[in-house]
Amino acid sequence: MVGVNERLRTTMLRRGVSTDQLAVECGVDAKSVERWISLDRVPHRKHRWIAARLLDADETFLWPRVLTRSPSRRAGASQAELVELYPDRASVPRETWLGLLTNSQQAIDVLIHSGTFFAQTQPRVAAMLTERASHNVRIRLCFGNPKSEAVAIRDREERLGGTLAAKIRASLTYYLPLIDVEGCEIRLHDATLYTSMFRYDDDLLANTHAYGAPASLNPTYHFRRTDGGTIFDHYMQSFESTWNSALPWIGAEV
């Protein structure tokens, strides 16, 4: 069934680009552009690139069927997202943590249980996040709920002797100054945490979890989002699902 390409139509409206303008830039007639919209036709690669550049959008966002046509391209784009593989989280240089945080321009998203090391690596973490928020960077921090069964299970698996919940409570104290900072939000999740995530704009540090091993001993992958890649977005979908089910924390004792 023929459908309308709503992504292309909406992006053109938002960018203030008319059918005639897009046709001129791409070197085609206006009827062709109309078919791209109303019949969801996928234009020639050269025309897709020109349109994507003019509309300041990813080609694969405007025409997602491009990826289904070329599985090899999708695989290649996803492989290109891997910037670095660290054998354990402790191997990630402190300069990397600091640089990603201080250079963020749009979003910082963190998904952890306690994240004690996060504040230890960046002793002024609350002040640094406040400074980023003052530059309109959206900040979302998601910690494990100390009272949740998921935290209790992780504690037993890692043989922590009941200390994980206390570590979370102690870690939260670092972030009390952010409670009233506009653009910052903290939530507590009850989810089984398979991967700790640290997202800075289009960069993501994904610290995977192996059964019984502390997060610090597990591999950490540095991904950078690329056009057509799927790994960064895959992890961020997981973050969004966890975030949406988490409860806001406003500084009260937990």
Side-chain angles (χ1 to χ4, degrees):
M1 184 174 69
V2 175
V4 176
N5 187 332
E6 291 290 354
R7 290 186 177 186
L8 177 59
R9 186 183 69 83
T10 302
T11 304
M12 288 173 63
L13 288 172
R14 288 177 176 172
R15 298 289 188 265
V17 176
S18 68
T19 300
D20 289 337
Q21 286 176 294
L22 188 56
V24 170
E25 291 291 334
C26 292
V28 299
D29 58 66
K31 291 287 187 183
S32 294
V33 175
E34 289 172 4
R35 285 192 287 270
W36 298 349
I37 300 170
S38 61
L39 301 179
D40 196 16
R41 295 277 177 86
V42 178
H44 187 275
R45 179 173 57 185
K46 179 181 72 173
H47 299 147
R48 294 198 305 267
W49 289 352
I50 294 172
R53 185 170 63 249
L54 178 66
L55 297 172
D56 191 25
D58 293 338
E59 170 198 357
T60 52
F61 171 79
L62 298 173
W63 293 283
R65 282 191 291 144
V66 170
L67 287 177
T68 60
R69 287 181 172 184
S70 180
S72 61
R73 180 184 172 190
R74 178 172 55 188
S78 295
Q79 290 169 10
E81 288 186 292
L82 180 61
V83 176
E84 187 67 74
L85 166 60
Y86 299 98
D88 50 65
R89 193 188 64 205
S91 296
V92 182
R94 182 170 182 266
E95 292 73 20
T96 298
W97 293 107
L98 294 174
L100 289 172
L101 191 155
T102 57
N103 292 320
S104 294
Q105 301 297 316
Q106 298 174 327
I108 296 174
D109 295 322
V110 175
L111 175 63
I112 46 182
H113 265 147
S114 68
T116 304
F117 87 95
F118 192 62
Q120 293 172 341
T121 305
Q122 301 150 131
R124 297 179 56 255
V125 65
M128 295 169 69
L129 291 172
T130 299
E131 191 275 336
R132 287 293 81 206
S134 71
H135 287 81
N136 298 317
V137 176
R138 182 200 63 194
I139 296 168
R140 299 185 294 178
L141 308 177
C142 200
F143 295 84
N145 184 339
K147 297 179 180 178
S148 70
E149 181 63 17
V151 166
I153 291 173
R154 180 59 57 86
D155 187 283
R156 292 195 296 270
E157 290 174 349
E158 295 185 16
R159 298 183 290 279
L160 297 177
T163 61
L164 181 54
K167 287 176 64 177
I168 295 172
R169 292 186 177 99
S171 185
L172 286 170
T173 63
Y174 289 105
Y175 303 94
L176 280 170
L178 300 177
I179 294 298
D180 296 321
V181 173
E182 185 176 356
C184 292
E185 188 174 357
I186 301 174
R187 294 187 184 183
L188 303 178
H189 69 82
D190 297 328
T192 301
L193 193 61
Y194 299 102
T195 303
S196 297
M197 301 183 207
F198 309 87
R199 180 269 184 101
Y200 309 88
D201 295 345
D202 287 338
D203 285 271
L204 171 72
L205 292 173
N207 179 200
T208 59
H209 294 273
Y211 180 87
S216 59
L217 295 182
N218 291 322
T220 298
Y221 299 84
H222 182 177
F223 297 111
R224 181 170 297 140
R225 188 177 185 276
T226 62
D227 291 352
T230 60
I231 297 176
F232 179 94
D233 290 338
H234 175 74
Y235 275 109
M236 286 311 300
Q237 288 173 7
S238 176
F239 175 91
E240 295 294 344
S241 296
T242 308
W243 178 259
N244 290 336
S245 64
L247 297 176
W249 182 70
I250 55 174
E253 184 177 345
V254 289

